[in-house]
Amino acid sequence: MTTPRDLFLVTVYDAAARPVEQGDLSLALAGAELVDLVDAGAAALDGELIVPATAGGTGDRLLDEAVAALRRETPYESVEDWLWRRGRGLGAAYLDALEADGS
């Protein structure tokens, strides 16, 4: 299980008690993806910039999509810009992935 999937499940199970706006959820999921990408060595942070690694995939389809979404040329993308770009519709993508997995 990845950090974004864990986060998504927590928000789904707790949605009745504390609903989360889709935009907020998508940004949080993008942030969780970035944490996992850095942890996996697929990306690094250089101040405010995300520097992609040359390593291959992560073994998770959605995280691999996140790796593919990283800007590969300089100037690298800022964390804030990437979170907004990557976050668009990300909540729906995680819901679709969990449904496809039968979760």
Side-chain angles (χ1 to χ4, degrees):
M1 189 72 56
T2 65
T3 304
R5 285 180 191 257
D6 288 344
L7 176 63
F8 184 81
L9 290 173
V10 167
T11 61
V12 168
Y13 287 125
D14 200 27
R18 290 176 262 188
V20 176
E21 296 290 328
Q22 285 300 309
D24 293 339
L25 175 59
S26 290
L27 283 173
L29 289 169
E33 283 185 340
L34 184 56
V35 168
D36 279 3
L37 294 181
V38 170
D39 189 49
L45 297 177
D46 181 11
E48 294 286 322
L49 302 177
I50 303 170
V51 179
T54 56
T58 64
D60 179 84
R61 182 180 62 82
L62 287 169
L63 286 181
D64 288 344
E65 288 176 13
V67 169
L70 295 172
R71 184 168 293 149
R72 300 256 167 219
E73 305 97 30
T74 56
Y76 295 118
E77 196 165 21
S78 72
V79 170
E80 180 179 359
D81 289 346
W82 187 82
L83 291 176
W84 282 103
R85 184 173 58 82
R86 176 66 185 155
R88 286 190 202 111
L90 202 52
Y94 273 88
L95 177 60
D96 291 347
L98 286 172
E99 288 175 347
D101 292 345
S103 299

